[in-house]
Amino acid sequence: MAKKTKSTSDKPNRSTKDRKTLGSIRDLADTVVQSAGRGREPYVDIPSRSLSNVRFNQSKRIIEMGSGTNRRELFNLAQARSYMQTLLVASGCKQLIDQGKTTSIRGLFYLLKHTIEGTSEETFDTQNECDPVIEDIEVSLDSMREELHLYAKNAGAMVGPITLVDSGDTIDCSRMGSGGYSIPSIVEQDIVQFKKNTAKFILHVEKDTVWRRFNEDKFWRKHNCILTHGGGQPPRGVRRMLHRLHHELKLPVYCLLDNDPWGYYIYSVIKQGSINLAYESRRMAIPDARFLGLRSLDYGRCQLSPSVQIKLNEQDIKRARQIAQYTWFVNKKPWQKEIELMLKNGFKLEVEALISKDISYVTEQYVPARLKEGEFLD
Amino acid sequence: MEEHTNMPNVNETGEQPKRRAVTAESMAAKQRDISVSEFFAKNRHLLGFDNPRKALLTAVKEAVDNSLDACEEAGIVPETWVHIEAAGPNRYKIGVQDNGPGIVKKQIPLIFGKLLYGSKFHRLRMSRGQQGIGISAAGMYGMLTTGKPVKIVSMTSPKKPAHYFEIQIDTRRNMPEIINGKGDGEDIPAGEKGQKYITDHDIEWVSHYPISDQQPHHHHVVRSGTRVTIELEGRYQRGRGSVDEYLEQTAIANPQVTIHYVDPDSGETTYSRSTTQLPPEPVEIKPHPYGIELGQLVTMLKDTSAPSMAQFLTTSFSRVSSGVAQKICETAKIGTRGNPKKIGRQEADSLYKAIQETKISAPGTDCISPIGESLILKGLHHQLPGEFFCAATRPPAVYRGNPFLIEVGLAYGGTSSTQKVTLDALTDLLSESDARSLKQFLLTTFDGVGAIGADKILSQAKMGTRQSPSKLKKEEIDQLFAAMRNVNLSENQSMQVLRYANRVPLQFQPAACAITQSVIGTNWRAYGLAQSRGQLPVGPVTVMVHVASVWVPFTSESKEAIASYPEIMKELRLGLQAVGRKLAIYLNRRKRVRQEGERREIFLRYLGEVAHAVATIKDFGDRPRKDLYGRLVYVAKRKTAAAETQLKDDGKQRENAAEEFGENVLIVNPEETPGETASSEPTA
Ligand SMILES: Nc1ncnc2c1ncn2[C@@H]1O[C@H](COP(=O)(O)OP(=O)(O)OP(=O)(O)O)[C@@H](O)[C@H]1O
Ligand SMILES: [Mg+2]
């Protein structure tokens, strides 16, 4: 059973934000009480987080969530379990807010995981079962993750000539050693404030390994930029940080990603928002972000050796075709050409492929050349 | 002889084709009459005396069948006694007694000492016996194997003397030979004196029987009846094809009968009646023209006393009006006034053809008395465990001019035969068995045990399949017993098929029988049972099929299997389908109820969590939390109950259970302990 917390009704020191979130959580609980009181079957309508329920807003150039919802019912065999989980997550967040604490989504998973009384069934089997329910709660309560007192594990780092304050501590991102400043999952104004910045742009790279190359070569110092990575698909903290840096400090964002469907997809997420988290696009998508590389033509342009080719598999080809059809790509000739060329090549290229030319080829030649030419995909 | 029997025409000396070595004259010296008795003495297997075990059963069966026939004909609720006693190695004495009308003195020797002597052959009326061979053949078998005479006691009224006969059969002449009372039999005086006579002369006779188990001191007096005692070479072994099985199955199809059975181990079993209602008395009918063969027609023409063809036709057959007779004669180009005795072979032939071409209405069907659906249900439920019973009696139909009728009953669920047996009974069964291996023992002793089932039991008991059943130690028997209890065979046991002809169980030659064939030919998968092609369906299910007819077409004289006439096959199919449909409804409903139960359980499982979560959010105390939980449970129950009345897949509103099943369905709450299989108290 859900762990009991002592009753803490409306502490005076509670923030307005918390009061709003608590209100939504209570509303959810009230639907259960009311339905049961009337002998009706309780349900919750959860905004649908699927491709069919996202729209590309042409003027804002971001993906927005539509008004479609999925009904989740308690008395429906296929949904009973996830309905119960939804209420468990809500009650977990309520307890966190009551106690004024935050926890990782993994922590919440452990807080809520237990054996259902009289059975051998667990409330949650794995973290993977819990995570989407948390996202469901976010969208249904229209509360951001941090408002629920939740965060994801830090993934992603940054360095650069910028000083910020994180939870009261001043951090000079130009003095972060080899590991950089680890971007927290919650970077809202009340936690992170920007102080001094001299950087002129942001270079976002896909992976930690590539990021290390750039940091070691002190690329950011030479080119006066902020260097970030998101450990693959950037988590919300990283995307929100990029978003704030871009909007608040007016820094252009250039992305250096692999020349493969996955790289294209990451770019799409940074630029337009993700389908799954379309409700977050408003505060995360960066429509002006640019794609610096790697390009399909780089194999020839950089005269790479055939050994760096990675053959496209069926899945890649399918993915690539799908991405080419995204509303926000379908009318962009250069992108269509880019994807077509990759398919024609029949292989993909990782950024690390450039290392085969020279260990610092990417930092000393490739990226500087692109920046100099100003040649990016939009 | 009838066309249904395969018996050679033994009383005729046929012309033999000449061979070189013998002359017609030398052969003529050897050619003589073969008496029926002589013929059967040599061909016992034709009458079911092929081996000692079957011989014992057949003898009991002939006697019991006669008793039940006699009681029914006399309108007496039957009370029967079956006593089997060991009388030496491979020797048993069987005594079968009834409370029927008894037999008049002068008939007794002929009935019991002459083959092909009976009251049932020459008429068309539904009865168990039909050939007039049964009991005398049993007696003859006994005499041939032990040299002992058949003993008969018969009483027609408590006020008149009873008769006692000891009879032997002169097989050469097919005539009875009375041994006692200087060739005249003995008379047992009525009343008290008779009692003394019986005891003094060591005559076996049950004169009283308890009114009920509850009042052991109140007795009924046997006012009339017959007892026949035969000593014969035989072997007693329980299990499939046994006397016990015959009696149990007889009790199922004859719910009006009570049988007091004492087995050779002095174990007493009473199969008690579940009704005193006798089946309606079947009416005797004349043969229908369509059922007659040319040879028979010729004989009838010869034997008739009718002065004219028209009269011959209208009086010898059923459903032949003078109009129909005229039509037949016209078609056959024979005068209606002609003398039937003067009809020649040619004319008989065209008469026969004319009959086939003339439209004659189907025979009356009141000559058949079905058990009836409600009594079938009673019989099944009384004798078999189960949770679902249903029955279907088909309207009468006709094959070859003979009216017949099919009844089908079905019992579903309950424990399998391996789970019903007691440890003592198992020990007996093992010691009696002559099976070479334990596996064979299980297969031949218990119904519905397939090879897979036997292997399962033996592997659970950790015993080899080759082990000999009679050499088991006490601990091994305990082990086997426990395994038989634990292994649930009901899921992969094959359907048990109980076959009946005129209420008599058929225990042999299942494969040759029309009933088995049509059960196998029915698609039981459509009714929710597993079945592989050409096999009996699988599951805890028993089907009883009753073929009732004025003349049951057996495949041989031993009356073991029914011939597959297309009309009979068709009716069998329809009857089986009728119970199949009911079974399907029941199984579906059971599945639905189970699913609903599972659904409800799933919902209930999560309700506690949901109530807790809500309580946490709302800062509820225990009371409101429990209140919320209670309300959610209420909604859950209503939801799952409602699902049962919801629309069916086909969009039709689901009717309530009784309407769905139609009539004559019995559902026993599986939680209740199923009715015991007869009250059985071994007194050994
Ligand atoms: N217990 C009995 N009580 C009264 N009559 C009997 C009894 N047993 C036999 N009979 C009479 O004796 C006749 C001969 O019996 P039997 O068993 O030999 O032939 P069946 O019953 O006519 O035909 P089947 O050969 O098919 O059994 C019966 O037809 C019946 O009239
Ligand atoms: Mg008989």
Side-chain angles (χ1 to χ4, degrees):
Chain A
M1 296 283 124
K3 280 153 194 104
K4 193 96 186 119
T5 47
K6 59 179 183 321
S7 175
T8 46
S9 45
D10 282 323
K11 281 188 195 153
N13 63 348
R14 193 169 275 166
S15 72
T16 19
K17 225 181 191 180
D18 281 350
R19 274 202 296 276
K20 181 196 147 251
T21 313
L22 274 182
S24 329
I25 294 178
R26 274 207 212 96
D27 288 346
L28 174 64
D30 281 337
T31 63
V32 183
V33 178
Q34 278 161 13
S35 308
R38 293 189 196 126
R40 303 245 172 86
E41 299 169 22
Y43 61 86
V44 341
D45 283 331
I46 297 168
S48 154
R49 296 181 288 112
S50 64
L51 183 58
S52 61
N53 193 37
V54 296
R55 260 197 339 260
F56 183 61
N57 183 321
Q58 292 287 353
S59 61
K60 290 194 203 142
R61 292 179 298 152
I62 61 172
I63 299 175
E64 284 178 341
M65 192 157 60
S67 54
T69 56
N70 290 327
R71 180 155 292 191
R72 182 170 294 169
E73 299 168 319
L74 172 54
F75 296 114
N76 176 319
L77 276 193
Q79 299 168 356
R81 181 172 161 87
S82 56
Y83 182 92
M84 167 208 66
Q85 291 171 333
T86 310
L87 273 129
L88 278 184
V89 167
S91 79
C93 294
K94 192 266 184 183
Q95 293 173 68
L96 290 173
I97 297 169
D98 270 353
Q99 295 168 356
K101 290 189 177 150
T102 54
T103 182
S104 65
I105 51 175
R106 185 144 191 90
L108 183 71
F109 165 64
Y110 280 116
L111 180 71
L112 301 175
K113 179 180 162 67
H114 59 258
T115 311
I116 299 171
E117 205 177 82
T119 71
S120 56
E121 187 179 327
E122 292 290 303
T123 50
F124 293 94
D125 286 328
T126 60
Q127 174 91 55
N128 287 343
E129 206 184 354
C130 186
D131 290 353
V133 179
I134 294 173
E135 284 170 4
D136 290 340
I137 283 287
E138 290 175 43
V139 288
S140 358
L141 303 186
D142 195 19
S143 302
M144 288 177 294
R145 187 168 280 189
E146 50 273 23
E147 292 171 341
L148 297 168
H149 287 220
L150 295 175
Y151 56 85
K153 71 170 193 283
N154 293 358
M158 70 187 260
V159 284
I162 181 170
T163 303
L164 47 79
V165 175
D166 177 347
S167 311
D169 300 334
T170 304
I171 288 159
D172 181 350
C173 291
S174 63
R175 299 164 159 276
M176 297 306 299
S178 62
Y181 166 59
S182 160
I183 304 171
S185 87
I186 298 173
V187 295
E188 292 310 311
Q189 185 70 43
D190 53 346
I191 295 179
V192 176
Q193 300 97 37
F194 302 138
K195 285 289 164 215
K196 208 178 91 207
N197 171 52
T198 58
K200 292 286 176 288
F201 68 93
I202 302 163
L203 180 70
H204 177 81
V205 303
E206 184 171 334
K207 282 167 285 186
D208 164 61
T209 47
V210 176
W211 184 90
R212 274 168 186 271
R213 179 83 262 120
F214 279 88
N215 191 26
E216 213 174 291
D217 293 349
K218 291 291 172 270
F219 177 91
W220 52 272
R221 211 184 287 278
K222 234 175 276 170
H223 294 271
N224 197 21
C225 69
I226 293 171
L227 186 65
T228 57
H229 81 82
Q233 152 98 287
R236 279 191 267 184
V238 173
R239 287 175 56 202
R240 179 66 180 146
M241 179 65 95
L242 289 175
H243 186 270
R244 283 192 63 202
L245 290 170
H246 174 76
H247 281 98
E248 292 170 30
L249 306 179
K250 307 284 176 254
L251 301 177
V253 176
Y254 304 111
C255 302
L256 179 65
L257 308 163
D258 289 345
N259 174 237
D260 62 15
W262 183 234
Y264 298 156
Y265 182 70
I266 291 175
Y267 176 65
S268 165
V269 167
I270 292 174
K271 193 177 172 72
Q272 259 83 45
S274 81
I275 292 159
N276 197 26
L277 298 174
Y279 58 99
E280 293 271 48
S281 296
R282 250 176 307 126
R283 50 188 210 114
M284 294 201 177
I286 308 165
D288 286 325
R290 292 292 183 273
F291 185 87
L292 182 146
L294 253 50
R295 300 280 303 272
S296 304
L297 54 79
D298 284 336
Y299 179 74
R301 178 161 67 182
C302 306
Q303 293 175 324
L304 300 175
S305 88
S307 61
V308 300
Q309 297 179 1
I310 304 170
K311 211 174 160 299
L312 288 174
N313 60 32
E314 250 174 66
Q315 188 69 27
D316 290 328
I317 296 167
K318 224 177 99 192
R319 275 301 269 143
R321 297 228 162 95
Q322 216 173 11
I323 290 169
Q325 289 309 309
Y326 282 173
T327 340
W328 45 98
F329 281 141
V330 79
N331 293 320
K332 287 181 176 164
K333 276 246 173 67
W335 265 111
Q336 294 298 321
K337 270 195 187 155
E338 171 68 26
I339 296 171
E340 238 165 70
L341 184 55
M342 181 187 66
L343 289 170
K344 213 178 111 208
N345 284 346
F347 58 80
K348 47 191 182 183
L349 294 170
E350 290 187 318
V351 175
E352 287 92 326
L354 298 175
I355 288 169
S356 71
K357 291 206 62 98
D358 179 88
I359 189 97
S360 292
Y361 178 81
V362 64
T363 59
E364 284 165 9
Q365 311 212 9
Y366 182 82
V367 174
R370 300 289 90 76
L371 288 170
K372 197 163 153 235
E373 291 159 5
E375 191 210 295
F376 312 109
L377 280 179
D378 176 13
Chain B
M1 271 278 86
E2 258 296 326
E3 77 268 21
H4 309 298
T5 62
N6 303 328
M7 210 168 66
N9 210 347
V10 290
N11 277 328
E12 259 171 50
T13 53
E15 288 270 313
Q16 306 280 333
K18 278 187 188 168
R19 284 209 210 153
R20 260 171 283 147
V22 283
T23 61
E25 286 70 29
S26 74
M27 278 186 65
K30 291 180 197 157
Q31 287 165 349
R32 58 180 167 80
D33 242 14
I34 307 164
S35 104
V36 217
S37 341
E38 252 182 332
F39 176 80
F40 281 121
K42 281 199 174 153
N43 297 282
R44 336 170 147 162
H45 58 277
L46 289 179
L47 292 175
F49 296 93
D50 2 2
N51 63 59
R53 179 165 185 242
K54 206 163 148 193
L56 180 72
L57 168 69
T58 305
V60 170
K61 192 174 146 142
E62 290 300 344
V64 172
D65 288 353
N66 281 353
S67 290
L68 299 183
D69 269 347
C71 289
E72 249 162 55
E73 236 176 283
I76 297 168
V77 179
E79 197 86 26
T80 28
W81 289 265
V82 176
H83 297 166
I84 306 181
E85 219 176 282
N90 299 325
R91 248 191 208 206
Y92 291 90
K93 189 170 81 180
I94 64 157
V96 175
Q97 184 182 329
D98 59 58
N99 62 341
I103 306 169
V104 297
K105 183 167 181 177
K106 93 173 181 335
Q107 291 296 335
I108 296 174
L110 292 168
I111 285 172
F112 294 93
K114 181 174 169 62
L115 261 68
L116 290 175
Y117 188 90
S119 54
K120 304 167 198 167
F121 183 82
H122 297 283
R123 64 177 191 199
L124 280 175
R125 179 185 192 269
M126 178 184 152
S127 59
R128 292 171 180 78
Q130 56 189 27
Q131 296 168 137
I133 305 175
I135 197 62
S136 35
M140 189 175 76
Y141 171 84
M143 197 193 75
L144 289 172
T145 52
T146 67
K148 295 275 166 114
V150 184
K151 297 174 185 169
I152 302 104
V153 179
S154 197
M155 179 200 269
T156 52
S157 151
K159 296 197 188 87
K160 289 189 192 154
H163 313 293
Y164 176 59
F165 282 97
E166 291 182 5
I167 295 171
Q168 281 192 337
I169 304 165
D170 179 345
T171 48
R172 292 183 139 258
R173 293 191 305 129
N174 185 24
M175 281 307 283
E177 221 175 86
I178 300 159
I179 299 175
N180 65 334
K182 296 176 191 125
D184 255 346
E186 298 165 52
D187 276 359
I188 304 171
E192 290 287 311
K193 258 196 248 160
Q195 278 303 314
K196 190 168 177 309
Y197 192 93
I198 285 172
T199 358
D200 291 351
H201 292 75
D202 245 354
I203 298 171
E204 288 171 16
W205 178 254
V206 177
S207 54
H208 292 86
Y209 59 99
I211 288 175
S212 74
D213 294 342
Q214 280 78 43
Q215 297 163 290
H217 301 296
H218 291 66
H219 285 90
H220 280 300
V221 174
V222 179
R223 300 168 59 84
S224 65
T226 305
R227 181 184 184 101
V228 52
T229 305
I230 301 172
E231 203 166 316
L232 45 68
E233 186 183 298
R235 201 160 60 76
Y236 176 77
Q237 189 193 332
R238 276 173 260 244
R240 217 178 300 158
S242 66
V243 174
D244 300 56
E245 183 192 67
Y246 161 75
L247 294 176
E248 187 182 317
Q249 291 188 11
T250 299
I252 292 173
N254 298 273
Q256 78 282 10
V257 177
T258 289
I259 305 170
H260 307 270
Y261 171 47
V262 181
D263 64 36
D265 305 321
S266 308
E268 274 179 40
T269 308
T270 304
Y271 299 93
S272 38
R273 67 176 62 84
S274 51
T275 179
T276 53
Q277 188 192 327
L278 286 176
E281 197 183 342
V283 177
E284 190 176 333
I285 59 162
K286 281 177 254 171
H288 191 272
Y290 287 166
I292 288 298
E293 288 206 326
L294 181 57
Q296 253 177 305
L297 182 63
V298 172
T299 321
M300 286 172 84
L301 285 164
K302 250 186 225 151
D303 293 350
T304 186
S305 54
S308 70
M309 275 308 292
Q311 266 198 38
F312 164 72
L313 289 170
T314 49
T315 55
S316 314
F317 296 104
S318 67
R319 295 299 196 238
V320 179
S321 61
S322 50
V324 172
Q326 196 167 345
K327 234 184 231 158
I328 294 172
C329 291
E330 270 167 28
T331 317
K333 300 201 170 63
I334 296 170
T336 48
R337 296 173 177 225
N339 184 349
K341 288 199 191 315
K342 291 192 179 141
I343 293 289
R345 189 75 200 199
Q346 208 99 56
E347 286 168 304
D349 207 39
S350 46
L351 185 65
Y352 179 76
K353 283 200 189 110
I355 287 174
Q356 313 308 315
E357 283 163 25
T358 310
K359 198 173 173 322
I360 306 166
S361 54
T365 47
D366 48 1
C367 49
I368 307 174
S369 111
I371 304 169
E373 292 175 347
S374 74
L375 284 187
I376 290 178
L377 285 182
K378 267 196 184 157
L380 284 174
H381 178 47
H382 203 60
Q383 308 293 347
L384 293 176
E387 58 196 65
F388 173 77
F389 301 87
C390 65
T393 294
R394 294 281 312 153
V398 176
Y399 81 93
R400 305 212 37 188
N402 294 313
F404 74 98
L405 174 151
I406 301 295
E407 296 183 280
V408 184
L410 181 146
Y412 181 88
T415 44
S416 58
S417 54
T418 48
Q419 288 174 314
K420 275 192 307 197
V421 73
T422 62
L423 181 58
D424 287 346
L426 177 65
T427 313
D428 286 354
L429 285 167
L430 283 164
S431 64
E432 286 162 9
S433 173
D434 58 357
R436 262 181 281 125
S437 68
L438 266 184
K439 182 169 175 178
Q440 203 196 348
F441 165 76
L442 290 172
L443 288 175
T444 52
T445 311
F446 300 102
D447 268 307
V449 183
I452 301 171
D455 286 341
K456 258 194 192 171
I457 290 174
L458 291 174
S459 85
Q460 166 123 54
K462 300 198 174 59
M463 292 170 129
T465 51
R466 301 284 190 87
Q467 223 157 328
S468 162
S470 49
K471 290 188 186 126
L472 291 191
K473 294 192 206 78
K474 175 84 181 76
E475 312 86 77
E476 288 176 314
I477 295 176
D478 289 347
Q479 236 168 295
L480 179 66
F481 178 71
M484 284 167 61
R485 274 285 142 106
N486 290 337
V487 174
N488 184 8
L489 293 175
S490 54
E491 292 317 315
N492 39 29
Q493 79 181 33
S494 52
M495 174 191 272
Q496 193 184 356
V497 181
L498 307 180
R499 299 176 289 131
Y500 294 91
N502 287 353
R503 297 166 196 249
V504 178
L506 307 178
Q507 294 166 278
F508 298 97
Q509 294 200 41
C513 184
I515 293 176
T516 320
Q517 285 157 10
S518 58
V519 171
I520 289 175
T522 302
N523 177 13
W524 293 94
R525 267 163 302 167
Y527 308 128
L529 296 177
Q531 181 185 27
S532 14
R533 192 171 272 281
Q535 302 273 304
L536 286 173
V538 167
V541 56
T542 302
V543 159
M544 70 158 283
V545 181
H546 180 211
V547 177
S549 177
V550 291
W551 188 267
V552 178
F554 288 111
T555 56
S556 80
E557 290 73 32
S558 54
K559 303 190 276 192
E560 290 173 341
I562 295 170
S564 22
Y565 281 91
E567 295 87 351
I568 294 180
M569 292 301 276
K570 180 184 165 206
E571 283 299 312
L572 284 170
R573 196 184 72 233
L574 292 173
L576 289 166
Q577 285 172 350
V579 295
R581 277 192 296 272
K582 291 180 183 184
L583 175 67
I585 294 170
Y586 174 73
L587 290 180
N588 271 332
R589 213 173 67 161
R590 202 177 67 152
K591 199 162 103 194
R592 226 155 49 218
V593 169
R594 278 201 188 153
Q595 278 169 351
E596 287 311 321
E598 278 163 21
R599 275 166 54 120
R600 184 174 300 177
E601 200 206 308
I602 288 171
F603 294 147
L604 291 179
R605 192 185 306 168
Y606 298 134
L607 295 187
E609 292 293 333
V610 170
H612 251 284
V614 171
T616 306
I617 294 168
K618 300 278 294 171
D619 295 318
F620 276 171
D622 262 6
R623 272 274 294 284
R625 193 198 76 227
K626 282 185 181 149
D627 183 52
L628 174 64
Y629 177 72
R631 283 168 190 275
L632 287 172
V633 169
Y634 168 76
V635 181
K637 289 199 170 143
R638 220 187 37 189
K639 164 93 180 169
T640 44
E644 288 173 28
T645 53
Q646 261 170 20
L647 294 183
K648 257 203 262 189
D649 299 344
D650 58 10
K652 229 170 54 189
Q653 185 75 36
R654 201 172 274 160
E655 296 123 22
N656 72 39
E659 280 167 334
E660 258 184 58
F661 281 123
E663 282 176 356
N664 290 314
V665 163
L666 180 70
I667 298 172
V668 182
N669 187 351
E671 261 88 90
E672 276 174 40
T673 42
E676 281 288 301
T677 311
S679 51
S680 160
E681 316 100 84
T683 53

